[in-house]
Amino acid sequence: MAIEIENISKTFGSFKALNNLSLIIPEGKLTALLGPSGSGKTTLLRIIAGLETPDNNPDSDIRFNGQSVAERHARERGVGFVFQHYALFRHMSVFDNIAFGLKVKPWRSRPSRSEIKDKVSELLKLIQLEGIGNRMPSQLSGGQRQRVALARALAVEPKFLLLDEPFGALDTKVRQDLRNWLRKLHDELHITSLFVTHDQEEALEVSDKVVIMNKGRIEQEGSPEEVFHNPATEFVMNFIGHVNLFHGRLEKGKAVFGKIVIDAADVPADKLGKDARLFIRPFEMEISSLNAEGSIKAKVERIQAAGVSVKVELKSEDGKVFTAELTHERFRELQLVKDMEVFVSPRNTRIFVEDYQV
Ligand code: ATP
């Protein structure tokens, strides 16, 4: 079951939180809605769930598997919701929390007591919390509570799962464990899921599709690889991953950023002389002890080697500070130390002039 969103806007007072947004959430996939605070992620999620109404616009629609649900109440949309703050019922055991949605079903569709018991046991196994059904939420860790919240959402067998910053309130390690767990769980269940996050690493690691939002609009959508390696806009380039930014100017046939000069033929004439921004990812900065053509001279300012790669802070001759990232092997080869002079050449660059990508 896919979710189709068409021309959705949402205005709060005079503020446009969503601006004519259209999007398809593909069936059976885990899609991440990624964007800075205030970009409209939660608003969109709540509109899909039916917890918020979009602006009245005859061209807008929300379809679940081809069927419009725009007029349907949240209860009739068959959506499971998991919030950032464990919305568990504090006075109910884990078992009763998970069983809640089943127990409150109209009697005609309500499963029997033994069916409910079986279903809850199955879900406790799925969330790897077998044997703690009798505990109260206060006796669980934050990560365990979020898993229970997920089991509770899954109990009623929703067609879709919407997760709003589900791991936002947890510490880094638990967060990482839970995101891997969510990915594995999704591979088992294949339930069409949409989860909101402002953490780009989380979005890139976990999802099949990433939708990047900014100011109520979609900047780019695609696979994690696509948005990381082929950012469509300057905003996406900046927002995803670490990046070095250099300011310069576009001249005839070239872009000049201090000592860095890059070939730029085929640029529209009206962009010449305009301010340009050059983006280079730290891992695409090649450091060498030799002065190759096109490289810039820089001095090692700081080395941070405690990690999977080595981060080196450098300062160019014209005073620009930037970062390069290299393997430990290459770092040892180069025998880098503080204050050493090196030559740096960018392997892959992106240049933006106004809204145009060179
Ligand atoms: P965060 O990551 O901080 O949760 P978000 O991307 O989910 O941000 P939203 O919660 O969707 O953003 O909010 C989008 C914008 O709409 C924000 O500027 C917010 O202040 C505004 N907004 C959201 N709900 C309301 C409301 N009920 N009344 C007025 N303004 C609102």
Side-chain angles (χ1 to χ4, degrees):
M1 288 239 187
I3 304 176
E4 289 166 80
I5 295 151
E6 216 169 80
N7 304 318
I8 292 290
S9 295
K10 178 70 189 175
T11 314
F12 294 108
S14 60
F15 178 75
K16 232 180 169 81
L18 294 178
N19 198 345
N20 204 31
L21 193 141
S22 297
L23 172 68
I24 293 179
I25 316 290
E27 177 171 359
K29 303 276 189 240
L30 184 53
T31 300
L33 210 50
L34 173 69
S37 183
S39 55
K41 310 177 295 291
T42 299
T43 304
L44 180 59
L45 208 70
R46 289 174 57 81
I47 287 176
I48 296 172
L51 299 170
E52 190 85 72
T53 37
D55 291 353
N56 201 356
N57 165 11
D59 298 333
S60 75
D61 203 1
I62 298 177
R63 287 186 292 274
F64 288 179
N65 217 23
Q67 292 250 313
S68 177
V69 295
E71 302 297 322
R72 260 191 237 167
H73 192 271
R75 271 197 307 271
E76 298 155 9
R77 292 196 186 188
V79 165
F81 218 111
V82 180
F83 300 92
Q84 174 174 1
H85 292 288
Y86 344 104
L88 296 181
F89 302 119
R90 271 181 289 174
H91 60 287
M92 283 187 199
S93 67
V94 166
F95 182 98
D96 288 338
N97 261 286
I98 299 176
F100 181 78
L102 297 170
K103 286 184 177 172
V104 298
K105 275 190 167 195
W107 68 267
R108 232 187 286 255
S109 55
R110 191 184 313 151
S112 68
R113 282 175 75 135
S114 74
E115 281 168 333
I116 292 179
K117 191 162 176 269
D118 289 349
K119 181 82 198 172
V120 174
S121 305
E122 186 192 312
L123 284 162
L124 280 169
K125 197 167 160 198
L126 188 73
I127 59 166
Q128 296 159 352
L129 290 178
E130 285 161 292
I132 67 153
N134 291 331
R135 282 210 210 154
M136 299 305 278
S138 59
Q139 297 170 304
L140 302 180
S141 72
Q144 288 171 330
R145 278 183 225 172
Q146 279 312 70
R147 284 191 271 162
V148 174
L150 193 59
R152 193 179 61 176
L154 290 171
V156 290
E157 297 178 6
K159 291 184 261 169
F160 307 106
L161 198 56
L162 305 180
L163 307 114
D164 193 359
E165 298 262 3
F167 313 134
L170 306 169
D171 67 49
T172 316
K173 178 76 178 85
V174 181
R175 215 182 149 108
Q176 259 164 4
D177 289 347
L178 272 192
R179 74 166 82 130
N180 294 337
W181 172 83
L182 178 69
R183 181 65 245 180
K184 285 199 195 109
L185 187 76
H186 186 268
D187 289 342
E188 258 177 64
L189 302 177
H190 296 292
I191 177 167
T192 306
S193 308
L194 181 64
F195 85 100
V196 161
T197 179
H198 62 260
D199 179 338
Q200 34 108 354
E201 200 181 288
E202 186 165 282
L204 296 184
E205 264 184 35
V206 170
S207 61
D208 300 300
K209 174 174 174 171
V210 186
V211 178
I212 298 164
M213 286 185 66
N214 178 30
K215 295 184 182 155
R217 289 177 186 273
I218 294 174
E219 288 273 339
Q220 188 174 8
E221 49 185 298
S223 68
E225 291 78 14
E226 266 161 7
V227 298
F228 185 81
H229 291 293
N230 290 308
T233 65
E234 187 167 346
F235 174 85
V236 177
M237 183 82 216
N238 251 316
F239 191 67
I240 301 266
H242 298 290
V243 73
N244 292 301
L245 168 62
F246 298 83
H247 290 275
R249 194 162 284 274
L250 215 57
E251 294 176 11
K252 202 167 178 347
K254 60 185 178 181
V256 182
F257 304 89
K259 299 271 177 191
I260 306 176
V261 180
I262 291 170
D263 246 13
D266 306 329
V267 174
D270 66 321
K271 304 292 176 207
L272 294 181
K274 297 264 165 74
D275 289 342
R277 276 95 50 211
L278 166 71
F279 293 90
I280 312 170
R281 300 250 190 242
F283 69 88
E284 289 180 323
M285 288 279 196
E286 176 78 40
I287 302 182
S288 170
S289 46
L290 305 171
N291 187 2
E293 200 194 321
S295 65
I296 52 165
K297 199 149 105 182
K299 199 161 93 175
V300 174
E301 291 272 297
R302 207 169 98 85
I303 296 168
Q304 194 205 317
V308 280
S309 57
V310 181
K311 293 190 182 82
V312 183
E313 200 177 287
L314 297 141
K315 195 179 203 173
S316 68
E317 279 179 306
D318 43 13
K320 169 79 190 166
V321 176
F322 58 96
T323 312
E325 208 174 317
L326 59 163
T327 63
H328 283 273
E329 193 185 0
R330 182 74 185 133
F331 173 67
R332 280 192 296 272
E333 255 171 40
L334 288 165
Q335 299 181 357
L336 294 183
V337 286
K338 188 172 164 10
D339 295 330
M340 187 172 159
E341 278 207 336
V342 291
F343 296 90
V344 185
S345 31
R347 271 194 296 263
N348 195 6
T349 58
R350 275 178 200 272
I351 300 168
F352 290 88
V353 182
E354 294 169 341
D355 281 344
Y356 177 80
Q357 186 168 176
V358 177

